[in-house]
Amino acid sequence: MGFSGGHDEREQTLNQILVEMDGFTPNERVIILAATNRPDLLDAALIRPGRFDRRVVLSLPDLVEREAIIKLHMKGKPFTKDVSTEKLARRTVGFSGADLANMLNEAAILAAREGKTAIDNKDLEEAATKEKLGPQRKRMQSERDRKLAAYHEAGHAIVGHNLKNVDPVHRISIVSRGMSGGHTLFPPTEDRSNESKSRLIEQVTAALGGQAAEQLVFKDISTGAASDIDVATSIARAMVTQYGMSSLGPISVSPRPMFGMWRGEESAEMSPKMHDAVDAEIKKITDACYKSAEELLKKHKVKLDKVAKALLEKETLESDEFESIVGKKKS
Ligand code: ZN
């Protein structure tokens, strides 16, 4: 349930649910279950004792659970012998059960489309990428656009590769998908429930690596970095306003919506002065990260050129191809 419709519609749905639920007497053995992925939007009236008063939180599946889910959805589909459920489970950190089911269906469709008799690792990798980034979009790209994309993605990869806490590069591609002109994947190699300050800083740095490479090579930047800047800014914002990781100290200046509170009632509390201070801290973080991305790229310019060149030739580099150019990641 997510009451995201108009106000009237939302109120009516809510009232109707409450009326229905109040119709049971305590000795009627009826249990009502409901699921939502936005518990923060639920009305307080819904979660009062006697209504939906028990909560079971389902988090994303961990490694063992993902492998079990994968096995479940693999039943009845043919796979080549080299497909490993363990490897697949490792590759899919952050996938929900539904994502995994979709991924396996998608892989089956890809295999069938190419007339294969069994689903292989290539189909699964493509399906996993598609699940998170959308389908490949072959489109006409000018030579300059391709070169820009190649340096942009190589920039993310080189910066990430040289930062201790960023996960290893899994795949780099300049084939556009969904809204993006290319992608560099650093899928998490482990299930983390906590992020450290140094890891967050490095994530912001890697996110800005694409734009820093464009600036370094072309002395100009494109609009292709918009979503990177979004990512970098929102991580930096969370560091300042939620995690107490700035010189403002351990304060929470963006009250997270409390359970049962409507959205829109939040965030009114920040004073204009605090607003400015927060913005200044965010800028401090992103500026410093941009600078360190720039420095890493200057230092590794030869490798940056090599990776960009390889991307222009092959369009997609898997982790081993990338490492054959830049060497193994130091950990
Ligand atoms: Zn980018």
Side-chain angles (χ1 to χ4, degrees), residues 252-255 261 265-272 274-275:
S252 168
V253 279
S254 70
M261 199 159 121
E265 287 172 21
E266 35 169 309
S267 75
E269 288 171 33
M270 218 196 290
S271 70
M274 191 50 117
H275 244 291

Side-chain angles (χ1 to χ4, degrees), residues 240-281:
V240 176
T241 60
Q242 289 172 30
Y243 309 140
M245 292 176 178
S246 75
S247 53
L248 296 182
I251 48 161
S252 168
V253 279
S254 70
R256 266 189 270 188
M258 302 284 282
F259 192 59
M261 199 159 121
W262 288 111
R263 275 188 117 203
E265 287 172 21
E266 35 169 309
S267 75
E269 288 171 33
M270 218 196 290
S271 70
K273 220 172 136 193
M274 191 50 117
H275 244 291
D276 293 347
V278 164
D279 287 345
E281 287 297 321

Side-chain angles (χ1 to χ4, degrees), residues 148-287:
L148 197 78
Y151 269 98
H152 180 102
E153 299 307 329
H156 284 304
I158 293 282
V159 171
H161 185 74
N162 289 288
L163 292 169
K164 204 171 83 214
N165 297 298
V166 173
D167 291 300
V169 172
H170 176 75
R171 186 184 220 201
I172 323 169
S173 174
I174 55 168
V175 177
S176 42
R177 273 173 195 279
M179 294 300 288
S180 76
H183 61 270
T184 302
L185 300 179
F186 307 91
T189 47
E190 53 185 331
D191 295 283
R192 293 186 183 88
S193 53
N194 263 309
E195 294 282 7
S196 67
K197 182 176 175 185
S198 45
R199 224 182 93 76
L200 291 173
I201 295 260
E202 293 189 0
Q203 281 175 351
V204 176
T205 310
L208 295 175
Q211 193 179 36
E214 290 183 27
Q215 177 65 36
L216 182 69
V217 176
F218 301 95
K219 307 281 174 268
D220 193 8
I221 50 175
S222 71
T223 54
S227 69
D228 296 338
I229 294 171
D230 270 353
V231 169
T233 313
S234 58
I235 296 175
R237 180 174 297 279
M239 289 174 69
V240 176
T241 60
Q242 289 172 30
Y243 309 140
M245 292 176 178
S246 75
S247 53
L248 296 182
I251 48 161
S252 168
V253 279
S254 70
R256 266 189 270 188
M258 302 284 282
F259 192 59
M261 199 159 121
W262 288 111
R263 275 188 117 203
E265 287 172 21
E266 35 169 309
S267 75
E269 288 171 33
M270 218 196 290
S271 70
K273 220 172 136 193
M274 191 50 117
H275 244 291
D276 293 347
V278 164
D279 287 345
E281 287 297 321
I282 293 171
K283 185 164 160 35
K284 235 199 259 171
I285 294 174
T286 51
D287 281 354

